[in-house]
């Protein structure tokens, strides 16, 4: 008995998630109808992914600056560094800013993808001429 992809002398084709959808699907973020090949597995189009990445970048840098500011405040008030190693403390704060911004950006983007909410500026497409007549 052979295990694997071949069964009964026939080779099974791999099934993609795109095979379950029609050729045109609505993006769940911007509500625009697009071809299935232009969407990812969460049904987000490229423009919505880029926009979410940009928002996550901005929010990530805000979080990074807040984290670096809190660390700098803690260093200044609690540690009270001497002038001898001031460059090391500055490098520590800058590294915290960079790492904090990167980690925050990925966490925020992951949360956006996990929530999978519709964009606030999205307008649903009209369903047909019946709505415009009224």
């Amino acid at each position: 008995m052979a295990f694997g992809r071949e069964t009964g002398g026939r080779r099974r084709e791999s099934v993609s998630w795109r095979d379950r959808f029609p050729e045109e699907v609505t993006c769940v973020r911007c509500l625009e109808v697009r071809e299935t090949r232009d969407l990812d597995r969460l049904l987000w189009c490229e423009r919505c992914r880029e926009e979410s990445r940009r928002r996550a970048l901005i929010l990530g840098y805000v979080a990074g600056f807040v984290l670096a500011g809190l660390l700098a405040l803690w260093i200044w008030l609690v540690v009270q560094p001497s002038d001898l190693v001031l460059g090391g403390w500055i490098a520590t704060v800058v590294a915290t800013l960079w790492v904090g911004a990167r980690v925050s950006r990925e966490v925020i983007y992951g949360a956006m993808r996990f929530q999978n909410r519709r964009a606030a500026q999205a307008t649903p497409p009209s369903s047909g001429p019946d709505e415009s007549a009224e």
Side-chain angles (χ1 to χ4, degrees), residues 27-29 39-61 63 100-117:
C27 173
V28 296
R29 293 279 295 176
L39 302 175
D40 67 354
R41 62 185 171 79
L42 290 178
L43 302 179
W44 285 28
C45 65
E46 182 68 29
R47 186 174 58 99
C48 290
R49 285 192 307 265
E50 288 175 4
E51 185 177 319
S52 294
R53 278 268 183 211
R54 184 184 54 77
R55 285 182 182 165
L57 177 72
I58 293 168
L59 292 174
Y61 272 114
R102 298 235 350 170
V103 169
S104 299
R105 178 186 69 198
E106 292 302 320
V107 168
I108 290 168
Y109 182 69
M112 286 179 184
R113 296 281 289 183
F114 183 73
Q115 290 175 354
N116 205 15
R117 288 189 187 157

Side-chain angles (χ1 to χ4, degrees), residues 86-101:
L86 193 59
W89 291 111
I90 292 172
T92 302
V93 171
V94 170
T96 301
L97 167 67
W98 185 75
V99 171

Side-chain angles (χ1 to χ4, degrees), residues 22-40 42-49 51 117-119 121-126:
E23 287 186 25
E24 291 186 339
V25 180
T26 303
C27 173
V28 296
R29 293 279 295 176
C30 63
L31 303 178
E32 291 182 14
V33 177
R34 301 188 182 268
E35 291 186 23
T36 306
R37 64 183 165 88
D38 295 337
L39 302 175
D40 67 354
L42 290 178
L43 302 179
W44 285 28
C45 65
E46 182 68 29
R47 186 174 58 99
C48 290
R49 285 192 307 265
E51 185 177 319
R117 288 189 187 157
R118 184 171 45 134
Q121 65 271 22
T123 56
S126 62

